[in-house]
Amino acid sequence: SQQGEEDPQALSIQEGENATMNCSYKTSINNLQWYRQNSGRGLVHLILIRSNEREKHSGRLRVTLDTSKKSSSLLITASRAADTASYFCATGWTSGSRLTFGEGTQLTVNP
Amino acid sequence: NAGVTQTPKFRVLKTGQSMTLLCAQDMNHEYMYWYRQDPGMGLRLIHYSVGEGTTAKGEVPDGYNVSRLKKQNFLLGLESAAPSQTSVYFCASSYFSGFLYFGAGTRLSVL
């Protein structure tokens, strides 16, 4: 079964608005990662946040992690049409090397 | 650097045929993975390897075999293809438990 679950499944916004996507997971993790996938392409990593971190920034991206609620959020500020893609969270287990991916959020940014 | 290269990019098989998907990475990563991506199901881990000569089962290993004879290559084999194996296959590699670097994917149709 999938470890991470993204919410919402789809999100449509206007250029310039902020986009927030959420990820919930079920078991203990040592890191959580966010990836982007453009249509027909492979996944590209965005941010990795470790279980002892609460917030991380990278450019227009902000990721938070709440281990007590087993949830994470990805905020994209001042969105652009080029941000249109699917976004996936992936959780790393406390032992082993495998990541488990959620089903993704399809973000559409309208010009 | 080419990163992670997958061949072929597209393939159509008949039920019962066999084939091998090749993944090559030039980043000297220890870990390599094979995922499949199906609509509405996100990415699911088929098999993975934590080093040359090692392989391990993931979430959906049935019907697939893998080999990692060289550190830079990870092969995924389908011995007797079934329509249920129609999917997009992604190879990825990583340093231990860090980011995954993905290939562009192989679109496989089994008729």
PDB file of all heavy atoms in Angstrom, chain B residues 10-33:
ATOM      1  N   PHE B  10      10.322   3.240 -25.920  1.00  0.00           N
ATOM      2  CA  PHE B  10       8.990   2.686 -26.210  1.00  0.00           C
ATOM      3  C   PHE B  10       9.152   1.237 -26.650  1.00  0.00           C
ATOM      4  O   PHE B  10      10.143   0.879 -27.268  1.00  0.00           O
ATOM      5  CB  PHE B  10       8.290   3.441 -27.343  1.00  0.00           C
ATOM      6  CG  PHE B  10       8.127   4.905 -27.109  1.00  0.00           C
ATOM      7  CD1 PHE B  10       9.064   5.791 -27.592  1.00  0.00           C
ATOM      8  CD2 PHE B  10       7.032   5.387 -26.411  1.00  0.00           C
ATOM      9  CE1 PHE B  10       8.931   7.146 -27.382  1.00  0.00           C
ATOM     10  CE2 PHE B  10       6.886   6.739 -26.201  1.00  0.00           C
ATOM     11  CZ  PHE B  10       7.833   7.629 -26.685  1.00  0.00           C
ATOM     12  N   ARG B  11       8.146   0.431 -26.310  1.00  0.00           N
ATOM     13  CA  ARG B  11       8.185  -0.947 -26.771  1.00  0.00           C
ATOM     14  C   ARG B  11       6.777  -1.499 -26.748  1.00  0.00           C
ATOM     15  O   ARG B  11       5.993  -1.215 -25.834  1.00  0.00           O
ATOM     16  CB  ARG B  11       9.086  -1.788 -25.876  1.00  0.00           C
ATOM     17  CG  ARG B  11       9.315  -3.204 -26.350  1.00  0.00           C
ATOM     18  CD  ARG B  11      10.220  -3.263 -27.571  1.00  0.00           C
ATOM     19  NE  ARG B  11      10.311  -4.635 -28.073  1.00  0.00           N
ATOM     20  CZ  ARG B  11      11.257  -5.493 -27.729  1.00  0.00           C
ATOM     21  NH1 ARG B  11      12.200  -5.120 -26.872  1.00  0.00           N
ATOM     22  NH2 ARG B  11      11.263  -6.697 -28.221  1.00  0.00           N
ATOM     23  N   VAL B  12       6.461  -2.289 -27.765  1.00  0.00           N
ATOM     24  CA  VAL B  12       5.187  -3.005 -27.812  1.00  0.00           C
ATOM     25  C   VAL B  12       5.503  -4.500 -27.847  1.00  0.00           C
ATOM     26  O   VAL B  12       6.285  -4.940 -28.691  1.00  0.00           O
ATOM     27  CB  VAL B  12       4.349  -2.606 -29.032  1.00  0.00           C
ATOM     28  CG1 VAL B  12       3.045  -3.416 -29.061  1.00  0.00           C
ATOM     29  CG2 VAL B  12       4.033  -1.120 -29.010  1.00  0.00           C
ATOM     30  N   LEU B  13       4.908  -5.237 -26.948  1.00  0.00           N
ATOM     31  CA  LEU B  13       5.122  -6.681 -26.879  1.00  0.00           C
ATOM     32  C   LEU B  13       3.806  -7.417 -27.058  1.00  0.00           C
ATOM     33  O   LEU B  13       2.739  -6.869 -26.763  1.00  0.00           O
ATOM     34  CB  LEU B  13       5.707  -7.084 -25.524  1.00  0.00           C
ATOM     35  CG  LEU B  13       7.132  -6.691 -25.169  1.00  0.00           C
ATOM     36  CD1 LEU B  13       7.451  -7.168 -23.748  1.00  0.00           C
ATOM     37  CD2 LEU B  13       8.122  -7.273 -26.153  1.00  0.00           C
ATOM     38  N   LYS B  14       3.910  -8.654 -27.474  1.00  0.00           N
ATOM     39  CA  LYS B  14       2.752  -9.538 -27.458  1.00  0.00           C
ATOM     40  C   LYS B  14       2.800 -10.354 -26.172  1.00  0.00           C
ATOM     41  O   LYS B  14       3.880 -10.621 -25.620  1.00  0.00           O
ATOM     42  CB  LYS B  14       2.764 -10.453 -28.669  1.00  0.00           C
ATOM     43  CG  LYS B  14       2.592  -9.733 -29.994  1.00  0.00           C
ATOM     44  CD  LYS B  14       2.597 -10.707 -31.145  1.00  0.00           C
ATOM     45  CE  LYS B  14       2.409  -9.972 -32.473  1.00  0.00           C
ATOM     46  NZ  LYS B  14       2.444 -10.909 -33.632  1.00  0.00           N
ATOM     47  N   THR B  15       1.652 -10.732 -25.709  1.00  0.00           N
ATOM     48  CA  THR B  15       1.576 -11.553 -24.498  1.00  0.00           C
ATOM     49  C   THR B  15       2.472 -12.778 -24.632  1.00  0.00           C
ATOM     50  O   THR B  15       2.438 -13.471 -25.653  1.00  0.00           O
ATOM     51  CB  THR B  15       0.134 -11.996 -24.235  1.00  0.00           C
ATOM     52  OG1 THR B  15      -0.682 -10.828 -24.017  1.00  0.00           O
ATOM     53  CG2 THR B  15       0.037 -12.879 -23.011  1.00  0.00           C
ATOM     54  N   GLY B  16       3.278 -13.008 -23.600  1.00  0.00           N
ATOM     55  CA  GLY B  16       4.167 -14.153 -23.594  1.00  0.00           C
ATOM     56  C   GLY B  16       5.581 -13.861 -24.061  1.00  0.00           C
ATOM     57  O   GLY B  16       6.499 -14.662 -23.813  1.00  0.00           O
ATOM     58  N   GLN B  17       5.782 -12.737 -24.720  1.00  0.00           N
ATOM     59  CA  GLN B  17       7.134 -12.384 -25.162  1.00  0.00           C
ATOM     60  C   GLN B  17       7.959 -11.916 -23.979  1.00  0.00           C
ATOM     61  O   GLN B  17       7.437 -11.526 -22.926  1.00  0.00           O
ATOM     62  CB  GLN B  17       7.087 -11.298 -26.242  1.00  0.00           C
ATOM     63  CG  GLN B  17       6.584 -11.775 -27.580  1.00  0.00           C
ATOM     64  CD  GLN B  17       6.656 -10.699 -28.651  1.00  0.00           C
ATOM     65  OE1 GLN B  17       6.358  -9.537 -28.401  1.00  0.00           O
ATOM     66  NE2 GLN B  17       7.068 -11.096 -29.853  1.00  0.00           N
ATOM     67  N   SER B  18       9.268 -11.933 -24.184  1.00  0.00           N
ATOM     68  CA  SER B  18      10.172 -11.481 -23.128  1.00  0.00           C
ATOM     69  C   SER B  18      10.943 -10.260 -23.603  1.00  0.00           C
ATOM     70  O   SER B  18      11.059 -10.014 -24.814  1.00  0.00           O
ATOM     71  CB  SER B  18      11.133 -12.586 -22.746  1.00  0.00           C
ATOM     72  OG  SER B  18      11.969 -12.911 -23.848  1.00  0.00           O
ATOM     73  N   MET B  19      11.443  -9.486 -22.648  1.00  0.00           N
ATOM     74  CA  MET B  19      12.275  -8.360 -22.996  1.00  0.00           C
ATOM     75  C   MET B  19      13.064  -7.909 -21.775  1.00  0.00           C
ATOM     76  O   MET B  19      12.738  -8.282 -20.642  1.00  0.00           O
ATOM     77  CB  MET B  19      11.454  -7.191 -23.528  1.00  0.00           C
ATOM     78  CG  MET B  19      10.730  -6.367 -22.486  1.00  0.00           C
ATOM     79  SD  MET B  19      10.193  -4.770 -23.127  1.00  0.00           S
ATOM     80  CE  MET B  19      11.760  -3.974 -23.443  1.00  0.00           C
ATOM     81  N   THR B  20      14.092  -7.127 -22.032  1.00  0.00           N
ATOM     82  CA  THR B  20      14.915  -6.557 -20.970  1.00  0.00           C
ATOM     83  C   THR B  20      14.991  -5.056 -21.140  1.00  0.00           C
ATOM     84  O   THR B  20      15.252  -4.557 -22.240  1.00  0.00           O
ATOM     85  CB  THR B  20      16.335  -7.148 -21.007  1.00  0.00           C
ATOM     86  OG1 THR B  20      16.276  -8.563 -20.826  1.00  0.00           O
ATOM     87  CG2 THR B  20      17.192  -6.539 -19.902  1.00  0.00           C
ATOM     88  N   LEU B  21      14.736  -4.353 -20.047  1.00  0.00           N
ATOM     89  CA  LEU B  21      14.897  -2.909 -20.012  1.00  0.00           C
ATOM     90  C   LEU B  21      16.242  -2.607 -19.364  1.00  0.00           C
ATOM     91  O   LEU B  21      16.590  -3.164 -18.313  1.00  0.00           O
ATOM     92  CB  LEU B  21      13.778  -2.241 -19.186  1.00  0.00           C
ATOM     93  CG  LEU B  21      12.419  -2.066 -19.845  1.00  0.00           C
ATOM     94  CD1 LEU B  21      11.747  -3.403 -20.095  1.00  0.00           C
ATOM     95  CD2 LEU B  21      11.528  -1.195 -18.961  1.00  0.00           C
ATOM     96  N   LEU B  22      16.972  -1.697 -19.998  1.00  0.00           N
ATOM     97  CA  LEU B  22      18.301  -1.374 -19.503  1.00  0.00           C
ATOM     98  C   LEU B  22      18.310   0.007 -18.872  1.00  0.00           C
ATOM     99  O   LEU B  22      17.742   0.949 -19.403  1.00  0.00           O
ATOM    100  CB  LEU B  22      19.319  -1.415 -20.644  1.00  0.00           C
ATOM    101  CG  LEU B  22      20.731  -0.911 -20.317  1.00  0.00           C
ATOM    102  CD1 LEU B  22      21.379  -1.792 -19.256  1.00  0.00           C
ATOM    103  CD2 LEU B  22      21.581  -0.850 -21.567  1.00  0.00           C
ATOM    104  N   CYS B  23      18.965   0.110 -17.742  1.00  0.00           N
ATOM    105  CA  CYS B  23      19.159   1.383 -17.062  1.00  0.00           C
ATOM    106  C   CYS B  23      20.644   1.570 -16.815  1.00  0.00           C
ATOM    107  O   CYS B  23      21.302   0.654 -16.293  1.00  0.00           O
ATOM    108  CB  CYS B  23      18.397   1.406 -15.744  1.00  0.00           C
ATOM    109  SG  CYS B  23      18.639   2.919 -14.787  1.00  0.00           S
ATOM    110  N   ALA B  24      21.160   2.730 -17.161  1.00  0.00           N
ATOM    111  CA  ALA B  24      22.565   3.044 -16.936  1.00  0.00           C
ATOM    112  C   ALA B  24      22.685   4.404 -16.271  1.00  0.00           C
ATOM    113  O   ALA B  24      22.002   5.345 -16.667  1.00  0.00           O
ATOM    114  CB  ALA B  24      23.326   3.039 -18.259  1.00  0.00           C
ATOM    115  N   GLN B  25      23.546   4.486 -15.251  1.00  0.00           N
ATOM    116  CA  GLN B  25      23.783   5.765 -14.578  1.00  0.00           C
ATOM    117  C   GLN B  25      25.283   6.022 -14.510  1.00  0.00           C
ATOM    118  O   GLN B  25      26.072   5.098 -14.322  1.00  0.00           O
ATOM    119  CB  GLN B  25      23.141   5.789 -13.190  1.00  0.00           C
ATOM    120  CG  GLN B  25      23.527   4.639 -12.261  1.00  0.00           C
ATOM    121  CD  GLN B  25      24.663   4.940 -11.311  1.00  0.00           C
ATOM    122  OE1 GLN B  25      25.196   6.056 -11.261  1.00  0.00           O
ATOM    123  NE2 GLN B  25      25.037   3.928 -10.522  1.00  0.00           N
ATOM    124  N   ASP B  26      25.637   7.311 -14.663  1.00  0.00           N
ATOM    125  CA  ASP B  26      27.050   7.682 -14.695  1.00  0.00           C
ATOM    126  C   ASP B  26      27.431   8.550 -13.502  1.00  0.00           C
ATOM    127  O   ASP B  26      28.384   9.326 -13.565  1.00  0.00           O
ATOM    128  CB  ASP B  26      27.394   8.376 -16.013  1.00  0.00           C
ATOM    129  CG  ASP B  26      26.608   9.660 -16.229  1.00  0.00           C
ATOM    130  OD1 ASP B  26      25.818  10.044 -15.336  1.00  0.00           O
ATOM    131  OD2 ASP B  26      26.773  10.269 -17.306  1.00  0.00           O
ATOM    132  N   MET B  27      26.673   8.437 -12.399  1.00  0.00           N
ATOM    133  CA  MET B  27      26.906   9.274 -11.222  1.00  0.00           C
ATOM    134  C   MET B  27      27.558   8.497 -10.075  1.00  0.00           C
ATOM    135  O   MET B  27      27.662   9.008  -8.958  1.00  0.00           O
ATOM    136  CB  MET B  27      25.570   9.881 -10.772  1.00  0.00           C
ATOM    137  CG  MET B  27      24.986  10.822 -11.818  1.00  0.00           C
ATOM    138  SD  MET B  27      23.319  11.396 -11.420  1.00  0.00           S
ATOM    139  CE  MET B  27      22.357   9.944 -11.853  1.00  0.00           C
ATOM    140  N   ASN B  28      27.948   7.275 -10.349  1.00  0.00           N
ATOM    141  CA  ASN B  28      28.589   6.430  -9.342  1.00  0.00           C
ATOM    142  C   ASN B  28      27.692   6.196  -8.120  1.00  0.00           C
ATOM    143  O   ASN B  28      28.178   6.049  -6.994  1.00  0.00           O
ATOM    144  CB  ASN B  28      29.930   7.027  -8.888  1.00  0.00           C
ATOM    145  CG  ASN B  28      30.843   5.972  -8.273  1.00  0.00           C
ATOM    146  OD1 ASN B  28      30.838   4.808  -8.681  1.00  0.00           O
ATOM    147  ND2 ASN B  28      31.622   6.373  -7.284  1.00  0.00           N
ATOM    148  N   HIS B  29      26.385   6.158  -8.362  1.00  0.00           N
ATOM    149  CA  HIS B  29      25.440   5.909  -7.269  1.00  0.00           C
ATOM    150  C   HIS B  29      25.457   4.451  -6.860  1.00  0.00           C
ATOM    151  O   HIS B  29      25.556   3.553  -7.695  1.00  0.00           O
ATOM    152  CB  HIS B  29      24.023   6.298  -7.705  1.00  0.00           C
ATOM    153  CG  HIS B  29      23.810   7.764  -7.752  1.00  0.00           C
ATOM    154  ND1 HIS B  29      22.704   8.325  -8.354  1.00  0.00           N
ATOM    155  CD2 HIS B  29      24.527   8.799  -7.261  1.00  0.00           C
ATOM    156  CE1 HIS B  29      22.765   9.639  -8.241  1.00  0.00           C
ATOM    157  NE2 HIS B  29      23.861   9.947  -7.588  1.00  0.00           N
ATOM    158  N   GLU B  30      25.303   4.250  -5.542  1.00  0.00           N
ATOM    159  CA  GLU B  30      25.245   2.882  -5.040  1.00  0.00           C
ATOM    160  C   GLU B  30      23.875   2.243  -5.277  1.00  0.00           C
ATOM    161  O   GLU B  30      23.772   1.083  -5.604  1.00  0.00           O
ATOM    162  CB  GLU B  30      25.545   2.866  -3.536  1.00  0.00           C
ATOM    163  CG  GLU B  30      26.989   3.152  -3.191  1.00  0.00           C
ATOM    164  CD  GLU B  30      27.927   2.054  -3.661  1.00  0.00           C
ATOM    165  OE1 GLU B  30      27.490   0.889  -3.763  1.00  0.00           O
ATOM    166  OE2 GLU B  30      29.109   2.359  -3.946  1.00  0.00           O
ATOM    167  N   TYR B  31      22.826   3.025  -5.046  1.00  0.00           N
ATOM    168  CA  TYR B  31      21.486   2.470  -5.074  1.00  0.00           C
ATOM    169  C   TYR B  31      20.822   2.695  -6.431  1.00  0.00           C
ATOM    170  O   TYR B  31      20.940   3.773  -7.014  1.00  0.00           O
ATOM    171  CB  TYR B  31      20.594   3.130  -4.007  1.00  0.00           C
ATOM    172  CG  TYR B  31      20.963   2.819  -2.581  1.00  0.00           C
ATOM    173  CD1 TYR B  31      20.223   3.375  -1.535  1.00  0.00           C
ATOM    174  CD2 TYR B  31      22.017   1.985  -2.240  1.00  0.00           C
ATOM    175  CE1 TYR B  31      20.524   3.110  -0.216  1.00  0.00           C
ATOM    176  CE2 TYR B  31      22.331   1.713  -0.921  1.00  0.00           C
ATOM    177  CZ  TYR B  31      21.585   2.280   0.080  1.00  0.00           C
ATOM    178  OH  TYR B  31      21.891   2.014   1.388  1.00  0.00           O
ATOM    179  N   MET B  32      20.112   1.682  -6.904  1.00  0.00           N
ATOM    180  CA  MET B  32      19.330   1.805  -8.132  1.00  0.00           C
ATOM    181  C   MET B  32      17.976   1.143  -7.935  1.00  0.00           C
ATOM    182  O   MET B  32      17.854   0.200  -7.133  1.00  0.00           O
ATOM    183  CB  MET B  32      20.081   1.191  -9.323  1.00  0.00           C
ATOM    184  CG  MET B  32      21.384   1.923  -9.648  1.00  0.00           C
ATOM    185  SD  MET B  32      22.186   1.361 -11.159  1.00  0.00           S
ATOM    186  CE  MET B  32      21.113   2.093 -12.422  1.00  0.00           C
ATOM    187  N   TYR B  33      16.983   1.629  -8.675  1.00  0.00           N
ATOM    188  CA  TYR B  33      15.595   1.221  -8.457  1.00  0.00           C
ATOM    189  C   TYR B  33      14.862   1.087  -9.788  1.00  0.00           C
ATOM    190  O   TYR B  33      15.169   1.787 -10.751  1.00  0.00           O
ATOM    191  CB  TYR B  33      14.836   2.276  -7.637  1.00  0.00           C
ATOM    192  CG  TYR B  33      15.564   2.830  -6.440  1.00  0.00           C
ATOM    193  CD1 TYR B  33      16.533   3.821  -6.581  1.00  0.00           C
ATOM    194  CD2 TYR B  33      15.253   2.393  -5.151  1.00  0.00           C
ATOM    195  CE1 TYR B  33      17.185   4.339  -5.481  1.00  0.00           C
ATOM    196  CE2 TYR B  33      15.901   2.921  -4.048  1.00  0.00           C
ATOM    197  CZ  TYR B  33      16.858   3.888  -4.223  1.00  0.00           C
ATOM    198  OH  TYR B  33      17.508   4.410  -3.126  1.00  0.00           O
TER     199      TYR B  33
END
